[in-house]
Amino acid sequence: MTTPERTRTTSTGLGQHISRFASFAVSPEAQPARLGCVGAALLTVGGLGAGSTRVHDPLLESLHLSWLRFGHGLVVSSVLLWAGVAVMLIAWLWLGRRVLDGTATAYTTVATTGFWLAPLLLSVPLFSRDTYSYLAQGALLRDGFDPYLVGPVENPNSLLDNVSPIWTTTTAPYGPAFILVAKFVTMIVGNDIVAGTMLLRLCMLPGLILLIWATQRVARHIGASPATALWVCVLNPLVIIHLMGGVHNEMLMVGLMMAGIALTFQQHPVWGVGLIAMAVAVKATAGLALPFVVWVWMRQLRDRHNHPPVRAFALATAASVVIFAAVFAVMSWLAGVGLGWLSALAAGNVKIINWLTVPTAAANLINVIGGLVFSVNFYAVLDVTRIIGLAVIAISLPLLWWRFRHTDREALTGIALAMLVVVLFVPAALPWYYTWPLAVAAALVQTRPAIAAIAGFSTWIMVMWKPDGAHGMYSWAHVLLTTACALVAWYSIYRMSKPDTSDETAVSTP
């Protein structure tokens, strides 16, 4: 007979949340949220013409908006889109200053996420065409092909028209869990790219929700500010615009991985390792967290059950391997695929050439500077620098794993550094790759200089990338403009005035 009471309690709780959100929406505290919402709306409108739009778009034609993609219409779209990016960056920095001076709470950042995300749920893919590859790979599995053996070109359909040429012959480098998600989407919407994009973006939402949930708990666990951590890794434009606006599966991977880390810290290592294994089944990078989580589990076994260190380590390692293998076996069985995606990881990366990793940047610099003196074979140099980069990764990861093993905070630091090393020294990287270390480091990066550095770096990458998925690293004008924007972002955080605490009765105001 307790059901009515529970129903009333649930309804009351929901009503309280709605009331609190409504009060926040009209309060001065929500000024950055409202400004960012305007920026997101401009991004969504401008993206219709200047985003990563479809090759053939009957939707725009039916709305009589095809003119947005050509001539003066494209100029208008581009202006709107970049204005949206600028407004969102300003709102993000504004909120960052409030987080640092203590006038913005964790609730402020969570509620702001809703404001900024809502318009982007309706946008075309922004700053990347990967969404179309995801759908084409899901259609491969749907139509009886193995996406780890053949590329989308083997399954001609309307989805293939929108896949970037470089990826049409590339096999899927993603785990079985994500391939199942893509298959699920294409089974529901068929080859409808518009509906597929919207549904696939909704499938990324659980990752964002998990990231919000986990970031706060990890921050509290190590004595950090949840609001600051959320600002760094949830409201960061690389997450909101690139992962959600661009519809990248990193959103699922990062959310699952951070939730696994949080659960392990909260004495639930079985569930934690299981979620990390699920994250690896989306994208392999999450596997970098697993060896460090073994240290956490080992300490829990040692401290709670009085196991000797060697036995505790052996038990934690064996249990982690069993859980990981079980999760992968189930996901691979459901998808009906093997481990062919592992070989596709390297095959896809070598096709990308930009300045976002040390090996590729070094090869470009050697080509530019050395070319002034003697003839340089760029691709031969690139092969050498990439081999050196892989050697750096192979040497660094075991050293980091052994060095950062003593406490939960050290384990988190080790994961963040391991991911940073991988992103910096892999053959090639893309802007959203930097969300991997950012998500893990968010609870660790709490000082003003560090936060200012993240603000400048995130702004640099955000402005450097073009809405159609290309980059401006070979244009000096674009590089100089991007660097100027990054310096402004860095300075706005680094040089902000400290709150006056000389009068204990003083009240900080936004």
Side-chain angles (χ1 to χ4, degrees):
M1 299 299 293
T2 59
T3 302
E5 181 62 32
R6 290 178 181 174
T7 302
R8 284 196 297 274
T9 302
T10 302
S11 300
T12 301
L14 179 61
Q16 289 174 344
H17 285 300
I18 294 174
S19 177
R20 184 182 184 186
F21 184 80
S23 299
F24 167 82
V26 296
S27 69
E29 185 183 9
Q31 289 173 334
R34 294 193 293 266
L35 180 64
C37 185
V38 172
L42 289 172
L43 262 171
T44 299
V45 175
L48 289 173
S52 301
T53 51
R54 300 168 56 189
V55 175
H56 304 291
D57 203 326
L59 178 63
L60 285 182
E61 293 173 2
S62 64
L63 296 174
H64 304 290
L65 294 175
S66 295
W67 59 275
L68 289 172
R69 299 180 58 194
F70 308 101
H72 296 301
L74 179 58
V75 173
V76 172
S77 298
S78 300
V79 169
L80 289 174
L81 188 143
W82 281 113
V85 171
V87 170
M88 290 197 74
L89 284 170
I90 291 169
W92 182 57
L93 296 170
W94 186 7
L95 182 61
R97 293 167 65 92
R98 290 188 170 189
V99 166
L100 283 175
D101 67 20
T103 57
T105 64
Y107 179 80
T108 303
T109 55
V110 174
T112 299
T113 303
F115 272 84
W116 294 3
L117 182 62
L120 292 177
L121 292 178
L122 301 175
S123 75
V124 304
L126 298 171
F127 296 91
S128 170
R129 303 183 67 83
D130 281 4
T131 308
Y132 307 131
S133 297
Y134 298 160
L135 294 173
Q137 289 159 1
L140 280 172
L141 191 61
R142 178 198 66 191
D143 296 338
F145 296 89
D146 187 339
Y148 300 152
L149 296 178
V150 299
V153 72
E154 299 295 328
N155 187 27
N157 53 49
S158 58
L159 294 172
L160 187 61
D161 295 340
N162 299 280
V163 179
S164 296
I166 192 174
W167 303 125
T168 54
T169 57
T170 304
T171 54
Y174 313 115
F178 183 71
I179 293 297
L180 274 175
V181 171
K183 175 186 176 181
F184 163 76
V185 170
T186 56
M187 287 178 65
I188 292 177
V189 304
N191 295 336
D192 188 323
I193 291 185
V194 175
T197 298
M198 300 300 177
L199 183 55
L200 195 59
R201 184 180 278 124
L202 291 179
C203 290
M204 300 301 116
L205 271 180
L208 181 63
I209 293 169
L210 285 173
L211 181 61
I212 292 171
W213 177 86
T215 297
Q216 298 178 78
R217 281 153 182 79
V218 170
R220 293 191 185 101
H221 182 77
I222 65 171
S225 163
T228 302
L230 288 168
W231 181 84
V232 168
C233 76
V234 172
L235 287 168
N236 193 301
L238 295 181
V239 173
I240 293 293
I241 298 177
H242 272 294
L243 293 195
M244 290 304 300
V247 199
H248 287 289
N249 56 12
E250 268 85 359
M251 190 75 263
L252 273 180
M253 182 205 79
V254 168
L256 287 166
M257 179 187 68
M258 287 303 298
I261 293 171
L263 285 173
T264 305
F265 284 170
Q266 294 178 345
Q267 311 284 338
H268 302 292
V270 174
W271 289 103
V273 172
L275 282 181
I276 292 174
M278 281 293 296
V280 178
V282 172
K283 199 161 188 175
T285 316
L288 294 171
L290 194 57
F292 294 92
V293 167
V294 170
W295 289 126
V296 178
W297 196 349
M298 182 208 77
R299 288 194 301 274
Q300 292 174 2
L301 289 172
R302 182 194 63 194
D303 298 340
R304 295 174 63 191
H305 302 286
N306 296 319
H307 288 300
V310 174
R311 182 189 300 171
F313 178 78
L315 288 173
T317 301
S320 297
V321 170
V322 169
I323 294 169
F324 184 86
V327 169
F328 246 84
V330 170
M331 297 310 302
S332 297
W333 174 72
L334 289 174
V337 296
L339 298 177
W341 60 286
L342 293 175
S343 61
L345 290 174
N349 264 349
V350 297
K351 295 182 178 182
I352 303 171
I353 299 177
N354 59 43
W355 292 68
L356 287 185
T357 65
V358 173
T360 311
N364 274 291
L365 287 174
I366 292 171
N367 183 53
V368 172
I369 298 174
L372 299 175
V373 181
F374 50 85
S375 177
V376 176
N377 185 330
F378 171 72
Y379 290 101
V381 172
L382 182 62
D383 288 340
V384 172
T385 57
R386 284 178 167 178
I387 290 172
I388 295 173
L390 293 175
V392 170
I393 293 173
I395 295 170
S396 299
L397 294 186
L399 293 176
L400 290 171
W401 176 73
W402 183 253
R403 165 63 182 82
F404 295 98
R405 69 186 190 277
H406 302 98
T407 66
D408 290 355
R409 186 184 185 91
E410 280 197 7
L412 196 68
T413 303
I415 297 171
L417 290 176
M419 290 196 164
L420 183 60
V421 167
V422 168
V423 173
L424 287 175
F425 289 96
V426 289
L430 293 164
W432 44 93
Y433 287 16
Y434 284 89
T435 60
W436 311 341
L438 270 179
V440 183
L444 302 166
V445 181
Q446 300 275 312
T447 64
R448 182 180 302 175
I451 292 172
I454 286 176
F457 177 74
S458 300
T459 300
W460 191 89
I461 291 188
M462 189 70 247
V463 179
M464 180 59 69
W465 226 249
K466 296 180 181 179
D468 61 356
H471 63 79
M473 295 180 193
Y474 295 108
S475 166
W476 280 109
H478 198 137
V479 171
L480 292 174
L481 175 63
T482 300
T483 304
C485 292
L487 288 173
V488 170
W490 168 81
Y491 188 82
S492 69
I493 298 294
Y494 186 78
R495 299 300 298 175
M496 64 175 284
S497 59
K498 297 181 180 179
D500 184 8
T501 56
S502 59
D503 182 1
E504 294 184 357
T505 62
V507 178
S508 297
T509 56

